[in-house]
Amino acid sequence: MTMKINFSFPSQYGTFSDALHLPDDHEFTGVEIEAMKQQRFDKWIAVITAPRLNYLLDADGNVVFDADGNPLIAE
């Protein structure tokens, strides 16, 4: 069986809510579980605060791709 640990962190960007799913017989300490929660929150903050890429768009507003299917980034 597994246990679900719901958690949330308030931030200036809104509330981050997530859950950890662990086996009932897990051996994580409270400190390790808190570190897992903090790591997920930190990764979320990194994603939402990362600079946005400026993709090259065609005349119709569609992203332009190179021959390998990668989006082109405007410089």
Side-chain angles (χ1 to χ4, degrees):
M1 298 293 292
T2 62
M3 65 176 8
K4 180 180 177 185
I5 302 171
N6 294 313
F7 63 96
S8 62
F9 288 95
S11 78
Q12 68 187 43
Y13 306 104
T15 300
F16 171 74
S17 297
D18 201 354
L20 297 172
H21 296 264
L22 302 172
D24 286 337
D25 60 350
H26 74 82
E27 296 183 8
F28 295 112
T29 66
V31 171
E32 291 171 322
I33 291 171
E34 290 305 314
M36 286 187 261
K37 293 176 185 179
Q38 187 65 50
Q39 182 181 41
R40 289 196 179 189
F41 175 68
D42 293 344
K43 287 183 178 183
W44 177 72
I45 291 292
V47 167
I48 65 170
T49 59
R52 294 184 56 172
L53 295 176
N54 186 17
Y55 292 109
L56 187 61
L57 303 178
D58 65 15
D60 295 323
N62 300 308
V63 176
V64 177
F65 295 91
D66 66 15
D68 294 324
N70 301 307
L72 297 179
I73 299 172
E75 298 186 25

